Amino acid sequence: MSGELRPTVRRRVLGTNLRRLREEKGLYLEDAASALSCHPGKVSRIESGRSGIRQLDLRVLLDFYGVKDDSVREGWLALARESRRQRWWRVLEDKLPQDFLELIGLEEEVATCRGFQPSTVHALLQTKAYATAIIQGGSTGPLNEDQQTRLRIRLERQKALTRSEAEPLNMWLVLGETALRQQVGGPAVLSEQLRHLVEMARLPNVTLQVLPFTAGACKGGMLPFTLYGFPAPAQLEVVLLEHFTSHAYLEAADDTAHYNSVFDHIRASALSPLESEALILQIADELSRS
């Protein structure tokens, strides 16, 4: 499939929400196509994210769907403008799997990120040394070209938490205690990683909790997941499930509601942010003395 046919994240969000607006008005594809004086297939491609939409056409649809508020309309128009902007990672399309490109796009576009990582530190919070050890997978020696690309991208992704051209990504993460004790890269690398976690958790847009061993079994099991939420005017959440060789994305309302419930249960079972910081520093100190 060519690059032009791959829906970008923001374009997919725009299309999904345009479909929502249309359906809320009880209108059909043919009705929207009539308003735009085009074939219904064009509207279908816009709503699926396979095609972008011109500002003029978007204004016509917003009028047709009864969106009158100037600030809301500007939000839609900005979403459309952004959907056409080239991203830094697009040059890597031929080198990376499509689902990973979608993950990078998600982290650039969303406003919130909430998730559970039971056994490893989340990629957005990893130090260079810790990320290197993860990417090497237990091997030693210099990184090959593919591994160097993966490391560079991982570090670039982390800028979402401190970006200034837009609101930084708001992250609420629960880490399993295993993630704090598994000596990825060795004691020194893990100790540095834990202190980095504390530093990142002190950012106003980052909340970090630890699920201790004593918490016992949790709703949903000890499986990693991330919930991404898009800013207004989008009303969309996406669940990311990471597998060994690929990622799965869930957008159905039932799925996002389920994982919201699981996240609420896990964060309620976890230590408070202050208690979590104390435990992280305690383990870091133990590693420094070992």
Side-chain angles (χ1 to χ4, degrees):
M1 185 179 292
S2 69
E4 281 70 33
L5 293 179
R6 292 173 177 167
T8 65
V9 173
R10 193 175 288 259
R11 206 164 65 194
R12 191 171 73 236
V13 171
L14 177 64
T16 297
N17 282 274
L18 283 173
R19 184 178 70 245
R20 172 179 57 81
L21 280 181
R22 175 176 59 76
E23 292 174 345
E24 286 175 353
K25 294 295 182 180
L27 298 169
Y28 297 96
L29 281 172
E30 291 77 9
D31 298 318
S34 178
L36 291 177
S37 300
C38 70
H39 191 277
K42 176 180 177 178
V43 180
S44 177
R45 290 192 297 274
I46 291 171
E47 291 186 351
S48 67
R50 287 177 293 152
S51 294
I53 184 171
R54 297 182 306 163
Q55 296 274 300
L56 177 60
D57 287 343
L58 180 55
R59 292 178 192 275
V60 171
L61 285 183
L62 292 177
D63 288 338
F64 188 54
Y65 297 152
V67 179
K68 304 298 184 184
D69 185 275
D70 288 340
S71 62
V72 174
R73 289 174 66 89
E74 178 52 36
W76 282 102
L77 294 167
L79 194 61
R81 287 193 296 270
E82 284 294 299
S83 72
R84 294 178 176 274
R85 183 160 66 88
Q86 280 292 101
R87 306 293 174 174
W88 63 267
W89 41 268
R90 280 291 162 191
V91 297
L92 301 170
E93 276 191 318
D94 296 334
K95 297 182 179 180
L96 297 172
Q98 176 63 17
D99 59 356
F100 190 66
L101 287 169
E102 291 180 348
L103 170 59
I104 300 171
L106 271 173
E107 290 169 347
E108 280 217 334
E109 309 292 4
V110 295
T112 62
C113 167
R114 293 173 297 137
F116 176 50
Q117 289 286 324
S119 57
T120 58
V121 172
H122 194 284
L124 294 183
L125 298 175
Q126 292 177 5
T127 63
K128 183 177 181 180
Y130 185 97
T132 299
I134 288 286
I135 289 170
Q136 285 181 314
S139 63
T140 57
L143 298 179
N144 60 36
E145 184 178 351
D146 176 65
Q147 291 172 328
Q148 289 174 354
T149 298
R150 291 169 58 193
L151 177 62
R152 186 172 71 253
I153 291 170
R154 185 163 305 187
L155 298 178
E156 187 71 28
R157 286 166 54 196
Q158 295 176 359
K159 294 179 181 179
L161 293 170
T162 55
R163 62 194 177 199
S164 57
E165 71 279 4
E167 285 294 316
L169 179 63
N170 194 304
M171 185 179 213
W172 190 336
L173 183 69
V174 180
L175 286 175
E177 188 172 343
T178 299
L180 309 182
R181 297 188 181 277
Q182 188 73 27
Q183 293 189 12
V184 173
V189 169
L190 181 57
S191 178
E192 177 194 36
Q193 173 64 73
L194 296 182
R195 296 186 191 282
H196 179 69
L197 283 177
V198 171
E199 179 182 342
M200 294 302 294
R202 290 173 179 169
L203 293 174
N205 56 304
V206 178
T207 301
L208 183 62
Q209 292 180 258
V210 174
L211 185 71
F213 291 143
T214 54
C218 290
K219 183 176 181 179
M222 300 296 285
L223 299 174
F225 66 89
T226 307
L227 272 159
Y228 291 103
F230 290 87
Q235 294 182 8
L236 181 68
E237 283 188 313
V238 177
V239 180
L240 167 67
L241 302 178
E242 297 185 58
H243 304 302
F244 186 68
T245 57
S246 64
H247 304 117
Y249 299 94
L250 309 178
E251 298 180 20
D254 288 347
D255 291 324
T256 57
H258 170 72
Y259 280 96
N260 270 293
S261 176
V262 171
F263 180 75
D264 287 342
H265 177 84
I266 291 175
R267 69 179 177 83
S269 302
L271 301 176
S272 71
L274 284 177
E275 292 170 331
S276 298
E277 178 178 314
L279 178 59
I280 293 170
L281 288 174
Q282 174 192 322
I283 298 172
D285 288 341
E286 291 171 0
L287 288 166
S288 298
R289 294 195 296 269
S290 64

